[in-house]
Amino acid sequence: MRAPDSPTEQPLLELDNLRVNFHTATGIVRAVRGLSFTLGRERLGIVGESGSGKSMTGRAILDLIPHPGEVQADKLVYRGQNLLTMDKGSRRKLRGRHISMVMQDPKFSLNPVKTVGEQIAEAYRVHHKASSREAKERSLTMLEAVQIREPARVYDLYPHEVSGGMGQRVMIAMMLIAEPDILIADEPTSALDVTVQLQVLKILDDLVTSRGMGLIFISHDLHLVQSFCDRVIVMYGGKAMETLPAAELADESARAHRHPYTLGLLDCLPDLDHRKDKLATLKRDPAWLA
Amino acid sequence: MNTNPAIIVEKLNVSFGDSHVVKDLSFSVASGESYGIVGESGSGKSTVLRVLAGLNREWGGDVTILGSKQPKVRDKAFYRAVQMVFQDPYGSLHPKKTVDDTLAEPLAIHGIEDAEARIERAMKDVGLPNSFRFRFPHQLSGGQRQRVAIARALVLEPRILLLDEPTSALDVSIQAEVLNLLQALRKERNLTYILVSHDLAVVAHMCERLLVMQFGRGVEEMTAETLAARSPQTAYAQQLLVASEGFRRQTA
Amino acid sequence: MTEQTSSGWTAWLITDSPVSRRQARLGQYYRQWLAFRRNPAAVIGLTIVVLLLLAAAFAPLLAPYDPLAQALDKRLLPPSAINWFGTDSLGRDIFSRVVYGSRVTLVIVLLVVITVGPIGLLIGAAAGYLGGWVDRVLMRITDVFLAFPRLVLALAFVAALGPGLENAVIAIAFTAWPPYARVARAETLIIRNQDYISAVRLQGASQWRIVLRHVVPMCLPSLIVRSTLDMAGIILTAAGLGFLGLGAQPPIPEWGAMISAGREQIFDQWWVATFPGLAICVVALGFNLLGDGLRDVMDAR
Ligand SMILES: Nc1ncnc2c1ncn2[C@@H]1O[C@H](COP(=O)(O)OP(=O)(O)OP(=O)(O)O)[C@@H](O)[C@H]1O
Ligand SMILES: Nc1ncnc2c1ncn2[C@@H]1O[C@H](COP(=O)(O)OP(=O)(O)OP(=O)(O)O)[C@@H](O)[C@H]1O
Ligand SMILES: [Mg+2]
Ligand SMILES: [Mg+2]
């Protein structure tokens, strides 16, 4: 397998006791409540149900929490640089160039009145000095890399003209074109068919193994996370229920050591080999958040 | 169960400008059946559903629904028989309308009298408590939104539901709830479904038969049993099955 | 996960499960109000606008003198305890004229907004939703209007129609709608491809129903914001026309015309032009702040 991080190497990202609070008109919503992890040159999965704070964790790292939200942490360090004390301008410069995020809802994040190709080229030119010709060529190569057929045609489509899965790959192309150190991928493949999904994962995988990129892979596809990631954080209600090696996720013999929430999620999945009439649904226990 | 096909598609062709995205597609769905469509991203699955629903008006070929040949522009009565649930529950509800507004709109359009009773029933059918009736979409979770979208489709009491990846944006616990709900509704009302999904396990769970699409063509039609036994004929279908096992890293 | 304690009315308003249409709407407005209230600049803007409304409504009570009453023995008196803002070259009390002037300003602003908003909205939404030749024709017309600076175009209209308050309003309205149509069209282009519009089409709704009931409510917030921000511009255009003698005709107390009348004495009797000028600035600023605040609460998605 891959060589583990050498212990002397400094982690890409260290995060301690991250909290994200929304001060809304009707009270405080605590979206993330004390999450800690370190990210090396690895694939770190985050799974958990809707609203468990996965996206907000990613956004907090990038300083992209929307308006009434506020981020607190005991430690938030990117390659030795303390992000908590850094000014907004420098954070913005890191964003996109060094730390990038593929947003969850691609059609929402793309500008609806510009072609997808223009938007990728623009992303490239923000961070690299390049002529528009060159940027266009790079963008076409990138579209091809994410397995889009007929990249030249797709370059000129508007976001509403691409299919769901194409939109996701356009977003991925846009984020990868700047060659970041850390990529936060928020459900990057949920609209892709399984074969294309694997091809896209292969690109991400190569970037981790060859370029040493750190990948945070947010997903609700447990099978995929189990087979793709190195470690997994299982989140519920803004807290980490447990962190475990990904391969152990579906290990039947290890069931006894699993958190009941993790088991609950696993049991919800339909299974090709064991078809049943009714799927199990999740029973939540308030004690998990205590 | 009625054996008359509810939907017959013959030699369907769709183009956008120069790109030919659905090519000579033919299939039929029996009344009361649940039919799956899987396949490559961009292979035209959503486009087929949009044609069937009358949202897309440029296509060639023959589409027969509930025994009558469909023109490009459908009449109002058509929509009482065929409804669709969209892929993205975040984009398919009007942000400024409450659940009540959303469910009342189709009834108002068709001038249906017993709106109050129907709305209450549709909400009960999808398991939304009455306290949700006057909420706005931003006050609902993804799964609750998808329930509203399903309720909106049901409120006209259609016979055919077109489901475009109804659970791909939902987490697994909510997916289980929504799939259980769809199963129960179908049994109860003898509805006909076309379900587009890229999750083979979901399709096998929900459907009797399925069609595999690639490059706008139907590659192979098979039963759910064939799928579960992992014995499809074509290479592409095999490939899908292998891919659905998860990610495999080539170890050096 | 929400922590809070509230009771009675507020609890009724902000409940997550309203029991009637009215409660849901009111609750939404209340939430927006709570968000609005957090922005001090917006609250200042709102206060200014409310003061303007009150001044216009209660002008006869507020103004110590008749704004038209001339007193030639009291010409050009500086501000004092008797004439707070001084008097003008005909001996009229400037404070009273500024107070009454708020009525003129409000009338202009309201008339313009009432005519321009819906026209721009309908043209833009129709062009955007229907597309094709309808779009091309409507947008070419819009472009032609947009190509001229507003004041110049308004001047041309007034020159053709003849000076006067009504004609100034018509001229401003004529020149003010194109940006609204643009904004509405741009929004509509985005909205028309959304799934929730496909969903209503799928229920068999007619095109008019879709435009009026589903597209327009989505464009409305940005247009309301835009028109509030625009009020400052409208007031300035009206004042500009007044200043050039093409708007409200004497002796109507219109702020622009008052500045114009005071411009010759600006160095010796500064108060004649300064107070109406200040009034214009403050009111324009007020609308601007209000618009900014509204944008934050209404455009938030
Ligand atoms: N603007 C906001 N105001 C108040 N609460 C918010 C806001 N945005 C997000 N939240 C809350 O933050 C919590 C975490 O949201 P987040 O988007 O991180 O969930 P998630 O784990 O990504 O879920 P999903 O799988 O649905 O994407 C949610 O409970 C949500 O209600
Ligand atoms: N309005 C449009 N204009 C131009 N091309 C379009 C339009 N709508 C769809 N297409 C093209 O049609 C093809 C099929 O799209 P469709 O949305 O049907 O794919 P899909 O099979 O649903 O894919 P996915 O699984 O990714 O959602 C794509 O190549 C897409 O770019
Ligand atoms: Mg998320
Ligand atoms: Mg699709």
Side-chain angles (χ1 to χ4, degrees), chain B residues 218-246:
Chain B
V219 180
E220 184 179 352
E221 191 174 68
M222 66 182 109
T223 61
E225 283 69 39
T226 318
L227 184 70
R230 296 189 168 69
S231 52
Q233 308 287 311
T234 55
Y236 180 64
Q238 285 285 1
Q239 211 181 319
L240 279 181
L241 266 169
V242 172
S244 72
E245 304 279 302

PDB file of all heavy atoms in Angstrom, chain B residues 218-246:
ATOM      1  N   GLY B 218     -30.360   2.625 -25.616  1.00  0.00           N
ATOM      2  CA  GLY B 218     -30.615   1.562 -24.657  1.00  0.00           C
ATOM      3  C   GLY B 218     -29.640   0.437 -24.965  1.00  0.00           C
ATOM      4  O   GLY B 218     -29.581  -0.048 -26.080  1.00  0.00           O
ATOM      5  N   VAL B 219     -28.862   0.041 -23.974  1.00  0.00           N
ATOM      6  CA  VAL B 219     -27.850  -0.986 -24.215  1.00  0.00           C
ATOM      7  C   VAL B 219     -28.399  -2.363 -23.880  1.00  0.00           C
ATOM      8  O   VAL B 219     -28.220  -3.324 -24.619  1.00  0.00           O
ATOM      9  CB  VAL B 219     -26.593  -0.718 -23.363  1.00  0.00           C
ATOM     10  CG1 VAL B 219     -25.540  -1.778 -23.614  1.00  0.00           C
ATOM     11  CG2 VAL B 219     -26.048   0.658 -23.654  1.00  0.00           C
ATOM     12  N   GLU B 220     -29.092  -2.444 -22.744  1.00  0.00           N
ATOM     13  CA  GLU B 220     -29.602  -3.746 -22.338  1.00  0.00           C
ATOM     14  C   GLU B 220     -30.792  -3.561 -21.405  1.00  0.00           C
ATOM     15  O   GLU B 220     -30.792  -2.691 -20.543  1.00  0.00           O
ATOM     16  CB  GLU B 220     -28.500  -4.541 -21.621  1.00  0.00           C
ATOM     17  CG  GLU B 220     -28.958  -5.940 -21.255  1.00  0.00           C
ATOM     18  CD  GLU B 220     -27.866  -6.760 -20.570  1.00  0.00           C
ATOM     19  OE1 GLU B 220     -26.717  -6.292 -20.510  1.00  0.00           O
ATOM     20  OE2 GLU B 220     -28.192  -7.854 -20.083  1.00  0.00           O
ATOM     21  N   GLU B 221     -31.788  -4.400 -21.601  1.00  0.00           N
ATOM     22  CA  GLU B 221     -32.918  -4.402 -20.694  1.00  0.00           C
ATOM     23  C   GLU B 221     -32.842  -5.705 -19.906  1.00  0.00           C
ATOM     24  O   GLU B 221     -32.538  -6.754 -20.475  1.00  0.00           O
ATOM     25  CB  GLU B 221     -34.219  -4.342 -21.488  1.00  0.00           C
ATOM     26  CG  GLU B 221     -35.428  -4.077 -20.641  1.00  0.00           C
ATOM     27  CD  GLU B 221     -36.676  -3.887 -21.498  1.00  0.00           C
ATOM     28  OE1 GLU B 221     -37.108  -4.879 -22.115  1.00  0.00           O
ATOM     29  OE2 GLU B 221     -37.205  -2.763 -21.553  1.00  0.00           O
ATOM     30  N   MET B 222     -33.063  -5.649 -18.606  1.00  0.00           N
ATOM     31  CA  MET B 222     -32.962  -6.882 -17.817  1.00  0.00           C
ATOM     32  C   MET B 222     -33.905  -6.821 -16.620  1.00  0.00           C
ATOM     33  O   MET B 222     -34.457  -5.768 -16.314  1.00  0.00           O
ATOM     34  CB  MET B 222     -31.520  -7.085 -17.350  1.00  0.00           C
ATOM     35  CG  MET B 222     -31.065  -6.035 -16.371  1.00  0.00           C
ATOM     36  SD  MET B 222     -29.360  -6.288 -15.896  1.00  0.00           S
ATOM     37  CE  MET B 222     -28.553  -4.957 -16.699  1.00  0.00           C
ATOM     38  N   THR B 223     -34.050  -7.962 -15.969  1.00  0.00           N
ATOM     39  CA  THR B 223     -34.878  -7.973 -14.768  1.00  0.00           C
ATOM     40  C   THR B 223     -33.995  -7.693 -13.562  1.00  0.00           C
ATOM     41  O   THR B 223     -32.777  -7.838 -13.627  1.00  0.00           O
ATOM     42  CB  THR B 223     -35.538  -9.355 -14.568  1.00  0.00           C
ATOM     43  OG1 THR B 223     -34.488 -10.310 -14.420  1.00  0.00           O
ATOM     44  CG2 THR B 223     -36.415  -9.719 -15.740  1.00  0.00           C
ATOM     45  N   ALA B 224     -34.643  -7.335 -12.470  1.00  0.00           N
ATOM     46  CA  ALA B 224     -33.883  -7.060 -11.258  1.00  0.00           C
ATOM     47  C   ALA B 224     -33.156  -8.306 -10.785  1.00  0.00           C
ATOM     48  O   ALA B 224     -32.072  -8.228 -10.214  1.00  0.00           O
ATOM     49  CB  ALA B 224     -34.812  -6.538 -10.168  1.00  0.00           C
ATOM     50  N   GLU B 225     -33.752  -9.494 -11.064  1.00  0.00           N
ATOM     51  CA  GLU B 225     -33.103 -10.738 -10.644  1.00  0.00           C
ATOM     52  C   GLU B 225     -31.781 -10.926 -11.386  1.00  0.00           C
ATOM     53  O   GLU B 225     -30.785 -11.319 -10.795  1.00  0.00           O
ATOM     54  CB  GLU B 225     -34.008 -11.955 -10.901  1.00  0.00           C
ATOM     55  CG  GLU B 225     -35.140 -12.123  -9.898  1.00  0.00           C
ATOM     56  CD  GLU B 225     -36.188 -11.045 -10.023  1.00  0.00           C
ATOM     57  OE1 GLU B 225     -36.515 -10.657 -11.171  1.00  0.00           O
ATOM     58  OE2 GLU B 225     -36.672 -10.557  -8.976  1.00  0.00           O
ATOM     59  N   THR B 226     -31.805 -10.645 -12.683  1.00  0.00           N
ATOM     60  CA  THR B 226     -30.566 -10.752 -13.454  1.00  0.00           C
ATOM     61  C   THR B 226     -29.501  -9.843 -12.854  1.00  0.00           C
ATOM     62  O   THR B 226     -28.333 -10.213 -12.732  1.00  0.00           O
ATOM     63  CB  THR B 226     -30.807 -10.322 -14.915  1.00  0.00           C
ATOM     64  OG1 THR B 226     -32.041 -10.855 -15.340  1.00  0.00           O
ATOM     65  CG2 THR B 226     -29.686 -10.781 -15.812  1.00  0.00           C
ATOM     66  N   LEU B 227     -29.939  -8.660 -12.485  1.00  0.00           N
ATOM     67  CA  LEU B 227     -28.994  -7.711 -11.912  1.00  0.00           C
ATOM     68  C   LEU B 227     -28.439  -8.251 -10.600  1.00  0.00           C
ATOM     69  O   LEU B 227     -27.222  -8.257 -10.379  1.00  0.00           O
ATOM     70  CB  LEU B 227     -29.694  -6.364 -11.692  1.00  0.00           C
ATOM     71  CG  LEU B 227     -28.808  -5.230 -11.192  1.00  0.00           C
ATOM     72  CD1 LEU B 227     -27.859  -4.795 -12.288  1.00  0.00           C
ATOM     73  CD2 LEU B 227     -29.657  -4.054 -10.740  1.00  0.00           C
ATOM     74  N   ALA B 228     -29.333  -8.736  -9.749  1.00  0.00           N
ATOM     75  CA  ALA B 228     -28.886  -9.220  -8.442  1.00  0.00           C
ATOM     76  C   ALA B 228     -27.991 -10.445  -8.594  1.00  0.00           C
ATOM     77  O   ALA B 228     -27.073 -10.646  -7.814  1.00  0.00           O
ATOM     78  CB  ALA B 228     -30.091  -9.544  -7.572  1.00  0.00           C
ATOM     79  N   ALA B 229     -28.269 -11.255  -9.633  1.00  0.00           N
ATOM     80  CA  ALA B 229     -27.428 -12.431  -9.875  1.00  0.00           C
ATOM     81  C   ALA B 229     -26.143 -12.058 -10.606  1.00  0.00           C
ATOM     82  O   ALA B 229     -25.313 -12.919 -10.891  1.00  0.00           O
ATOM     83  CB  ALA B 229     -28.202 -13.472 -10.694  1.00  0.00           C
ATOM     84  N   ARG B 230     -26.023 -10.774 -10.911  1.00  0.00           N
ATOM     85  CA  ARG B 230     -24.837 -10.252 -11.607  1.00  0.00           C
ATOM     86  C   ARG B 230     -24.571 -10.972 -12.919  1.00  0.00           C
ATOM     87  O   ARG B 230     -23.443 -11.293 -13.246  1.00  0.00           O
ATOM     88  CB  ARG B 230     -23.605 -10.353 -10.705  1.00  0.00           C
ATOM     89  CG  ARG B 230     -23.738  -9.490  -9.459  1.00  0.00           C
ATOM     90  CD  ARG B 230     -22.457  -9.423  -8.679  1.00  0.00           C
ATOM     91  NE  ARG B 230     -22.526  -8.384  -7.658  1.00  0.00           N
ATOM     92  CZ  ARG B 230     -23.286  -8.423  -6.577  1.00  0.00           C
ATOM     93  NH1 ARG B 230     -24.079  -9.460  -6.379  1.00  0.00           N
ATOM     94  NH2 ARG B 230     -23.274  -7.434  -5.710  1.00  0.00           N
ATOM     95  N   SER B 231     -25.640 -11.207 -13.677  1.00  0.00           N
ATOM     96  CA  SER B 231     -25.425 -11.922 -14.927  1.00  0.00           C
ATOM     97  C   SER B 231     -25.978 -11.181 -16.149  1.00  0.00           C
ATOM     98  O   SER B 231     -26.674 -11.782 -16.963  1.00  0.00           O
ATOM     99  CB  SER B 231     -26.029 -13.320 -14.840  1.00  0.00           C
ATOM    100  OG  SER B 231     -27.363 -13.225 -14.407  1.00  0.00           O
ATOM    101  N   PRO B 232     -25.708  -9.871 -16.258  1.00  0.00           N
ATOM    102  CA  PRO B 232     -26.147  -9.217 -17.485  1.00  0.00           C
ATOM    103  C   PRO B 232     -25.294  -9.652 -18.667  1.00  0.00           C
ATOM    104  O   PRO B 232     -24.215 -10.211 -18.497  1.00  0.00           O
ATOM    105  CB  PRO B 232     -25.951  -7.726 -17.181  1.00  0.00           C
ATOM    106  CG  PRO B 232     -24.941  -7.670 -16.112  1.00  0.00           C
ATOM    107  CD  PRO B 232     -25.047  -8.940 -15.338  1.00  0.00           C
ATOM    108  N   GLN B 233     -25.819  -9.374 -19.896  1.00  0.00           N
ATOM    109  CA  GLN B 233     -25.156  -9.845 -21.110  1.00  0.00           C
ATOM    110  C   GLN B 233     -24.042  -8.907 -21.560  1.00  0.00           C
ATOM    111  O   GLN B 233     -22.991  -9.367 -21.963  1.00  0.00           O
ATOM    112  CB  GLN B 233     -26.192  -9.925 -22.246  1.00  0.00           C
ATOM    113  CG  GLN B 233     -27.435 -10.703 -21.891  1.00  0.00           C
ATOM    114  CD  GLN B 233     -27.152 -12.183 -21.847  1.00  0.00           C
ATOM    115  OE1 GLN B 233     -26.547 -12.728 -22.774  1.00  0.00           O
ATOM    116  NE2 GLN B 233     -27.567 -12.838 -20.780  1.00  0.00           N
ATOM    117  N   THR B 234     -24.340  -7.626 -21.540  1.00  0.00           N
ATOM    118  CA  THR B 234     -23.426  -6.704 -22.223  1.00  0.00           C
ATOM    119  C   THR B 234     -22.258  -6.296 -21.332  1.00  0.00           C
ATOM    120  O   THR B 234     -22.343  -6.306 -20.100  1.00  0.00           O
ATOM    121  CB  THR B 234     -24.162  -5.430 -22.643  1.00  0.00           C
ATOM    122  OG1 THR B 234     -24.778  -4.885 -21.489  1.00  0.00           O
ATOM    123  CG2 THR B 234     -25.193  -5.710 -23.698  1.00  0.00           C
ATOM    124  N   ALA B 235     -21.184  -5.896 -22.005  1.00  0.00           N
ATOM    125  CA  ALA B 235     -19.974  -5.506 -21.288  1.00  0.00           C
ATOM    126  C   ALA B 235     -20.229  -4.261 -20.436  1.00  0.00           C
ATOM    127  O   ALA B 235     -19.762  -4.174 -19.305  1.00  0.00           O
ATOM    128  CB  ALA B 235     -18.854  -5.239 -22.281  1.00  0.00           C
ATOM    129  N   TYR B 236     -21.005  -3.307 -20.995  1.00  0.00           N
ATOM    130  CA  TYR B 236     -21.191  -2.071 -20.244  1.00  0.00           C
ATOM    131  C   TYR B 236     -21.943  -2.320 -18.939  1.00  0.00           C
ATOM    132  O   TYR B 236     -21.599  -1.790 -17.884  1.00  0.00           O
ATOM    133  CB  TYR B 236     -21.911  -1.011 -21.088  1.00  0.00           C
ATOM    134  CG  TYR B 236     -22.099   0.271 -20.324  1.00  0.00           C
ATOM    135  CD1 TYR B 236     -20.989   1.013 -19.912  1.00  0.00           C
ATOM    136  CD2 TYR B 236     -23.364   0.719 -19.958  1.00  0.00           C
ATOM    137  CE1 TYR B 236     -21.127   2.168 -19.181  1.00  0.00           C
ATOM    138  CE2 TYR B 236     -23.511   1.883 -19.217  1.00  0.00           C
ATOM    139  CZ  TYR B 236     -22.390   2.598 -18.838  1.00  0.00           C
ATOM    140  OH  TYR B 236     -22.538   3.730 -18.093  1.00  0.00           O
ATOM    141  N   ALA B 237     -22.966  -3.167 -19.011  1.00  0.00           N
ATOM    142  CA  ALA B 237     -23.729  -3.464 -17.799  1.00  0.00           C
ATOM    143  C   ALA B 237     -22.840  -4.176 -16.776  1.00  0.00           C
ATOM    144  O   ALA B 237     -22.917  -3.913 -15.567  1.00  0.00           O
ATOM    145  CB  ALA B 237     -24.946  -4.317 -18.150  1.00  0.00           C
ATOM    146  N   GLN B 238     -21.993  -5.054 -17.268  1.00  0.00           N
ATOM    147  CA  GLN B 238     -21.042  -5.733 -16.386  1.00  0.00           C
ATOM    148  C   GLN B 238     -20.145  -4.717 -15.685  1.00  0.00           C
ATOM    149  O   GLN B 238     -19.916  -4.786 -14.480  1.00  0.00           O
ATOM    150  CB  GLN B 238     -20.155  -6.686 -17.206  1.00  0.00           C
ATOM    151  CG  GLN B 238     -20.839  -7.952 -17.657  1.00  0.00           C
ATOM    152  CD  GLN B 238     -21.024  -8.947 -16.514  1.00  0.00           C
ATOM    153  OE1 GLN B 238     -20.643  -8.668 -15.377  1.00  0.00           O
ATOM    154  NE2 GLN B 238     -21.644 -10.076 -16.802  1.00  0.00           N
ATOM    155  N   GLN B 239     -19.685  -3.767 -16.519  1.00  0.00           N
ATOM    156  CA  GLN B 239     -18.786  -2.732 -16.015  1.00  0.00           C
ATOM    157  C   GLN B 239     -19.459  -1.934 -14.897  1.00  0.00           C
ATOM    158  O   GLN B 239     -18.850  -1.632 -13.876  1.00  0.00           O
ATOM    159  CB  GLN B 239     -18.487  -1.819 -17.195  1.00  0.00           C
ATOM    160  CG  GLN B 239     -17.150  -1.164 -17.205  1.00  0.00           C
ATOM    161  CD  GLN B 239     -17.066  -0.291 -18.458  1.00  0.00           C
ATOM    162  OE1 GLN B 239     -17.507  -0.676 -19.548  1.00  0.00           O
ATOM    163  NE2 GLN B 239     -16.535   0.893 -18.296  1.00  0.00           N
ATOM    164  N   LEU B 240     -20.742  -1.603 -15.104  1.00  0.00           N
ATOM    165  CA  LEU B 240     -21.476  -0.867 -14.078  1.00  0.00           C
ATOM    166  C   LEU B 240     -21.514  -1.653 -12.782  1.00  0.00           C
ATOM    167  O   LEU B 240     -21.335  -1.116 -11.694  1.00  0.00           O
ATOM    168  CB  LEU B 240     -22.910  -0.599 -14.527  1.00  0.00           C
ATOM    169  CG  LEU B 240     -23.166   0.568 -15.471  1.00  0.00           C
ATOM    170  CD1 LEU B 240     -24.654   0.667 -15.752  1.00  0.00           C
ATOM    171  CD2 LEU B 240     -22.660   1.866 -14.881  1.00  0.00           C
ATOM    172  N   LEU B 241     -21.773  -2.953 -12.918  1.00  0.00           N
ATOM    173  CA  LEU B 241     -21.859  -3.785 -11.728  1.00  0.00           C
ATOM    174  C   LEU B 241     -20.538  -3.819 -10.972  1.00  0.00           C
ATOM    175  O   LEU B 241     -20.503  -3.703  -9.747  1.00  0.00           O
ATOM    176  CB  LEU B 241     -22.247  -5.210 -12.125  1.00  0.00           C
ATOM    177  CG  LEU B 241     -23.732  -5.489 -12.071  1.00  0.00           C
ATOM    178  CD1 LEU B 241     -24.047  -6.814 -12.715  1.00  0.00           C
ATOM    179  CD2 LEU B 241     -24.214  -5.465 -10.624  1.00  0.00           C
ATOM    180  N   VAL B 242     -19.460  -3.960 -11.719  1.00  0.00           N
ATOM    181  CA  VAL B 242     -18.140  -3.995 -11.078  1.00  0.00           C
ATOM    182  C   VAL B 242     -17.893  -2.656 -10.381  1.00  0.00           C
ATOM    183  O   VAL B 242     -17.460  -2.601  -9.225  1.00  0.00           O
ATOM    184  CB  VAL B 242     -17.038  -4.271 -12.125  1.00  0.00           C
ATOM    185  CG1 VAL B 242     -15.670  -4.117 -11.477  1.00  0.00           C
ATOM    186  CG2 VAL B 242     -17.207  -5.660 -12.705  1.00  0.00           C
ATOM    187  N   ALA B 243     -18.223  -1.592 -11.102  1.00  0.00           N
ATOM    188  CA  ALA B 243     -17.963  -0.264 -10.538  1.00  0.00           C
ATOM    189  C   ALA B 243     -18.767  -0.045  -9.268  1.00  0.00           C
ATOM    190  O   ALA B 243     -18.328   0.648  -8.347  1.00  0.00           O
ATOM    191  CB  ALA B 243     -18.293   0.811 -11.564  1.00  0.00           C
ATOM    192  N   SER B 244     -19.956  -0.635  -9.192  1.00  0.00           N
ATOM    193  CA  SER B 244     -20.791  -0.380  -8.022  1.00  0.00           C
ATOM    194  C   SER B 244     -20.267  -1.089  -6.778  1.00  0.00           C
ATOM    195  O   SER B 244     -20.757  -0.879  -5.678  1.00  0.00           O
ATOM    196  CB  SER B 244     -22.236  -0.794  -8.301  1.00  0.00           C
ATOM    197  OG  SER B 244     -22.311  -2.187  -8.337  1.00  0.00           O
ATOM    198  N   GLU B 245     -19.264  -1.921  -6.952  1.00  0.00           N
ATOM    199  CA  GLU B 245     -18.656  -2.574  -5.775  1.00  0.00           C
ATOM    200  C   GLU B 245     -17.821  -1.594  -4.972  1.00  0.00           C
ATOM    201  O   GLU B 245     -17.445  -1.882  -3.848  1.00  0.00           O
ATOM    202  CB  GLU B 245     -17.740  -3.723  -6.222  1.00  0.00           C
ATOM    203  CG  GLU B 245     -18.429  -4.761  -7.085  1.00  0.00           C
ATOM    204  CD  GLU B 245     -19.200  -5.744  -6.232  1.00  0.00           C
ATOM    205  OE1 GLU B 245     -18.578  -6.378  -5.382  1.00  0.00           O
ATOM    206  OE2 GLU B 245     -20.425  -5.860  -6.413  1.00  0.00           O
ATOM    207  N   GLY B 246     -17.478  -0.473  -5.571  1.00  0.00           N
ATOM    208  CA  GLY B 246     -16.675   0.505  -4.852  1.00  0.00           C
ATOM    209  C   GLY B 246     -15.362   0.756  -5.549  1.00  0.00           C
ATOM    210  O   GLY B 246     -15.096   0.201  -6.629  1.00  0.00           O
TER     211      GLY B 246
END
